[in-house]
């Protein structure tokens, strides 16, 4: 697959507030038409990084190149990016139409073009029936749509989104996530979003960068970040995971684990000593009996915790060697729910190929 051109190039960016190093030597390449998400816990520096790119903050060190132009010292209003905030930032005294038109009028775009562009965008955000309403008369989701319309109406190449959906309730949030993806695909804009919500990052992004304490820990496609993460921190931050403690016998290409004994790592590139093995809870299944299958690892245990989520049950299993593992089971049959109660004994198994080798 040919890669799109780089549209944002961040080089060794640093930003401190007093003693707080909010952005610590960050370098990143964001390509055209990517839906790129910065994911990390609250306070790790995500918003600061986005604000540096937009020009709302100025870095202490490093550079920001947007579409080949060094923007490091260009003021915010002259950078080729638009920003959408969590707080919508709509003008309360203007109706929806005037809110969306505002930036275009400021740029002295001919009124005929303004009408045309606003007309197109109203269908995209499904707000045609609301153009003469004021922000206070709209729901959170509708306000967020208008904020998005205002950011995309002047055909930007890049839109920066700072936790744009965090004020919405769960159902609306999922609906808006899908709309963001559709809008991004239809308009072929580069979206760069920051969020602390793992599910949101996974479901909407083409690429994710995980951030901790001002640093980018790992950048990967969203599928690979979940299925083939490289760093233990990213694997644990994105979804649940069982970490299998033990040590690597590098010469023999074997991982010795207390829970499962020796696990063959042959074929794995980049084995080094400072690694752990891990497996996602949904990759472990409950078996009726042990079979002599190639590459399968089995373990017996007792359910010590069971949480029912309707479609899934999350189980904690204490293995016969007293170690715990987590299993996520899909509730395919109603009449098998009884087997998932606390105290029940079971046999679990997984495929060696689903194990993940992680750098500590
Ligand atoms: P996030 O978006 O990941 O929640 P932020 O980028 O908002 O994190 O903040 C990163 C760190 O920088 C935090 O410790 C925060 O308190 C600090 N910080 C952010 N903005 C300012 C500011 N304007 N003044 C002082 N400290 C700030």
């Amino acid at each position: 697959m040919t890669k799109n051109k780089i549209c944002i190039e961040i080089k060794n960016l640093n930003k401190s507030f007093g003693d707080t190093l909010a952005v610590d030597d960050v370098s990143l390449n964001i390509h055209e038409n990517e839906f790129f998400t910065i994911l990390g816990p609250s306070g790790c520096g995500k918003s600061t990084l986005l604000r540096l790119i937009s020009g709302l903050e100025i870095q202490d060190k490093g550079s920001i190149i947007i579409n080949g132009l060094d923007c490091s010292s260009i003021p915010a209003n002259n950078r080729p990016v638009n920003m959408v905030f969590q707080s919508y930032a709509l003008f309360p005294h203007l109706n929806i139409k005037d809110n969306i038109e505002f930036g275009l009028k400021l740029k002295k775009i001919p009124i005929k073009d303004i009408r045309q562009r606003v007309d197109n965008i109203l269908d995209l955000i499904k707000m045609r029936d609301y153009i003469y309403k004021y922000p206070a008369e709209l729901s959170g989701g509708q306000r967020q749509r208008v904020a998005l319309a205002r950011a995309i109406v002047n055909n930007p190449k890049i839109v920066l989104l700072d936790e744009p959906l965090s004020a919405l309730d769960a159902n609306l949030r999922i609906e808006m996530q899908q709309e963001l993806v559709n809008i991004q695909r239809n308009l072929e804009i580069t979206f760069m979003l920051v969020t602390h919500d793992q599910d949101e990052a996974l479901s909407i992004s083409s690429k994710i960068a995980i951030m901790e304490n001002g640093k980018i820990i790992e950048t990967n496609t969203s599928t690979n970040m979940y299925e083939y993460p490289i760093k233990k921190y990213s694997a644990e931050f994105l979804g649940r995971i069982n970490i299998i403690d033990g040590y690597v016998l590098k010469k023999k290409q074997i991982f010795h684990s207390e829970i499962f004994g020796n696990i063959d790592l042959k074929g794995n590139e980049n084995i080094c000593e400072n690694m752990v093995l891990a497996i996602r809870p949904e990759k472990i299944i409950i078996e009726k009996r042990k079979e002599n299958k190639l590459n399968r690892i089995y373990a017996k245990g007792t359910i010590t915790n069971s949480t029912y989520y309707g479609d899934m049950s999350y189980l904690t299993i204490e293995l016969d060697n007293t170690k715990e593992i987590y299993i996520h089971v899909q509730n395919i049959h109603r009449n098998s729910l009884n087997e998932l109660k606390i105290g029940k004994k079971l046999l679990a198994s997984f495929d060696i190929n689903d194990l993940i080798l992680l750098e500590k």
Side-chain angles (χ1 to χ4, degrees):
M1 206 170 76
T2 52
K3 261 199 168 168
N4 284 348
K5 269 193 349 213
I6 294 173
C7 72
I8 307 177
E9 194 178 352
I10 299 168
K11 288 190 198 161
N12 307 103
L13 213 57
N14 264 61
K15 176 71 183 174
S16 295
F17 299 102
D19 292 342
T20 308
L21 186 52
V23 172
D24 184 2
D25 197 27
V26 166
S27 295
L28 274 180
N29 286 337
I30 292 138
H31 294 84
E32 275 180 352
N33 297 345
E34 261 177 353
F35 200 133
F36 193 103
T37 297
I38 307 280
L39 172 68
S42 178
C44 73
K46 308 180 291 293
S47 295
T48 306
L49 178 57
L50 212 63
R51 291 168 66 81
L52 289 170
I53 297 169
S54 72
L56 295 173
E57 298 283 358
I58 299 301
Q59 67 275 18
D60 303 328
K61 269 195 261 167
S63 55
I64 301 160
I65 296 154
I66 304 177
N67 292 331
L69 177 71
D70 190 339
C71 290
S72 309
S73 46
I74 292 180
N77 57 344
N78 288 334
R79 294 195 189 186
V81 297
N82 284 348
M83 188 132 165
V84 180
F85 299 91
Q86 178 185 342
S87 56
Y88 319 128
L90 299 178
F91 301 116
H93 60 288
L94 296 183
N95 67 26
I96 300 319
K97 180 170 147 295
D98 292 339
N99 256 290
I100 300 175
E101 287 180 352
F102 187 83
L104 300 175
K105 283 181 179 158
L106 217 58
K107 286 195 169 163
K108 305 239 174 343
I109 304 226
I111 198 74
K112 203 172 121 248
D113 291 353
I114 292 183
R115 292 280 134 82
Q116 183 64 52
R117 285 203 212 172
V118 174
D119 204 49
N120 292 342
I121 228 100
L122 284 171
D123 283 335
L124 199 68
I125 60 160
K126 302 184 191 129
M127 291 291 290
R128 187 170 289 287
D129 296 339
Y130 298 84
I131 53 172
Y132 297 112
K133 294 214 181 273
Y134 287 81
E137 298 174 274
L138 303 183
S139 70
Q142 291 169 331
R143 269 182 257 174
Q144 194 52 275
R145 284 199 185 103
V146 178
L148 190 64
R150 216 174 46 174
I152 58 183
V153 74
N154 64 349
N155 303 331
K157 286 264 175 275
I158 302 164
V159 175
L160 308 175
L161 304 116
D162 189 356
E163 305 249 6
L165 310 180
S166 61
L168 308 181
D169 63 44
N171 285 344
L172 195 55
R173 205 177 161 130
I174 292 171
E175 201 181 298
M176 280 297 293
Q177 285 167 359
Q178 203 44 58
E179 274 179 35
L180 274 186
V181 173
N182 292 341
I183 289 172
Q184 190 264 342
R185 282 201 193 127
N186 284 339
L187 300 183
E188 298 192 341
I189 303 175
T190 306
F191 271 20
M192 186 171 177
L193 176 138
V194 309
T195 183
H196 63 274
D197 183 321
Q198 294 94 330
D199 291 337
E200 183 162 296
L202 263 183
S203 63
I204 63 179
S205 323
S206 53
K207 216 177 248 173
I208 299 176
I210 292 191
M211 198 168 177
E212 186 205 16
N213 290 336
K215 281 195 175 296
I216 299 294
I217 302 294
E218 181 175 348
T219 307
N220 219 325
T221 61
S222 58
T223 325
N224 283 354
M225 192 66 98
Y226 186 82
E227 301 288 348
Y228 302 96
I230 294 163
K231 298 280 170 63
K232 183 169 177 257
Y233 182 86
S234 353
E236 288 186 302
F237 193 76
L238 197 69
R240 295 186 181 211
I241 197 152
N242 291 292
I243 300 292
I244 303 170
D245 285 322
Y247 51 88
V248 177
L249 299 166
K250 196 175 167 191
K251 269 196 187 144
K252 294 185 183 163
Q253 296 198 305
I254 278 175
F255 185 86
H256 179 78
S257 96
E258 282 180 44
I259 315 187
F260 302 111
N262 284 346
I263 297 174
D264 191 346
L265 298 179
K266 280 192 194 76
N268 266 297
E269 292 156 24
N270 313 322
I271 300 176
C272 64
E273 256 133 48
N274 198 23
M275 297 193 117
V276 284
L277 271 184
I279 182 120
R280 296 279 183 201
E282 75 281 4
K283 305 284 194 278
I284 307 178
I285 57 171
I286 298 174
E287 300 271 16
K288 286 209 164 53
R289 67 192 77 81
K290 194 168 173 176
E291 282 174 31
N292 235 351
K293 284 191 201 151
L294 196 65
N295 292 334
R296 271 211 105 72
I297 290 184
Y298 289 85
K300 279 196 283 184
T302 306
I303 302 177
T304 53
N305 200 6
S306 176
T307 312
Y308 173 71
Y309 287 100
D311 58 339
M312 305 283 293
S313 289
Y314 288 10
L315 310 178
T316 307
I317 313 295
E318 189 181 301
L319 300 178
D320 288 354
N321 57 14
T322 75
K323 297 278 176 191
E324 280 188 338
I325 54 167
Y326 305 104
I327 308 185
H328 294 175
V329 187
Q330 216 185 333
N331 295 326
I332 299 173
H333 302 296
R334 275 185 291 197
N335 56 10
S336 53
L337 285 176
N338 204 28
E339 295 305 309
L340 307 179
K341 296 249 159 74
I342 292 174
K344 290 277 180 185
K345 291 197 179 303
L346 55 75
L347 175 69
S349 90
F350 60 85
D351 193 310
I352 288 184
N353 294 313
D354 286 322
L355 284 166
I356 308 168
L357 201 54
L358 298 167
E359 289 171 22
K360 274 191 207 163

